[in-house]
């Protein structure tokens, strides 16, 4: 997708600090970390939000969720971690290519939920 920063990262046009990659997803460190460990798990298929997701893309999100525990273990997040999907304006979504935040490496403190 033209002008999508995450598509450019996936295509290797913008460098990233990669943690994991396969045919369906890329996991890389967030440029503006909100915790000691903060990575983004990004499906390679471009869609902006959950509401735009089709069945095939939902399968890829499922694969992401299946892979994340192993990736988290590799990242040393044995004491736990938090996954966040910001969906739309009210959630503060800034990059409109669906992504799952993986946060951990410390006590994450007060919780919204
Ligand atoms: P969200 O607010 O949920 O849309 O989160 C977007 C995240 O993407 C935000 O935490 C910062 C991160 N981000 C934006 N641009 C880049 C980039 O060029 N490289 C990396 N590694 N992360 C980025």
């Amino acid at each position: 997708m033209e002008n999508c920063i995450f598509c450019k990262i996936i295509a290797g046009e913008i460098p990233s600090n990669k943690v994991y990659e396969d045919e369906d997803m890329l996991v890389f460190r967030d440029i503006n970390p909100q915790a000691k460990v903060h990575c983004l798990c990004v499906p390679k298929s471009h869609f902006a939000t959950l509401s735009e997701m089709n069945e095939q893309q939902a399968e890829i999100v499922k694969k992401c969720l299946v892979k994340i525990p192993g990736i988290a273990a590799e990242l040393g997040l044995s004491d736990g971690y938090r996954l966040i999907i910001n969906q739309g304006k009210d959630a503060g979504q800034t990059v409109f290519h669906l992504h799952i935040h993986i946060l951990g490496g410390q006590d994450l403190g007060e919780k919204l939920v």
Side-chain angles (χ1 to χ4, degrees):
M1 183 67 135
E2 234 175 289
N3 293 326
C4 170
I5 199 152
F6 286 175
C7 284
K8 288 181 180 169
I9 288 173
I10 289 162
E13 293 165 15
I14 293 176
S16 68
N17 194 339
K18 284 184 199 176
V19 165
Y20 175 81
E21 181 168 20
D22 65 24
E23 66 274 23
D24 295 311
M25 73 195 80
L26 180 65
V27 181
F28 54 92
R29 307 255 179 196
D30 195 290
I31 204 168
N32 182 24
Q34 302 298 307
K36 278 189 186 153
V37 176
H38 184 176
C39 294
L40 302 170
C41 180
V42 182
K44 288 187 173 178
S45 172
H46 179 93
F47 57 105
T49 60
L50 288 172
S51 35
E52 285 187 11
M53 182 173 68
N54 64 31
E55 288 295 325
Q56 262 182 333
Q57 291 161 336
E59 283 301 315
I60 293 173
V61 171
K62 178 180 159 186
K63 286 185 187 176
C64 290
L65 292 174
V66 168
K67 283 278 178 190
I68 282 172
I71 295 166
E74 289 289 320
L75 289 166
L77 304 180
S78 53
D79 288 336
Y81 52 92
R82 187 173 295 154
L83 304 182
I84 295 176
I85 295 176
N86 288 323
Q87 163 83 17
K89 181 174 75 64
D90 279 2
Q93 184 176 4
T94 56
V95 177
F96 284 82
H97 179 134
L98 188 111
H99 51 281
I100 304 167
H101 293 262
I102 306 169
L103 296 143
Q106 63 181 77
D107 184 337
L108 292 168
E110 288 298 313
K111 295 198 283 184
L112 190 60
V113 288

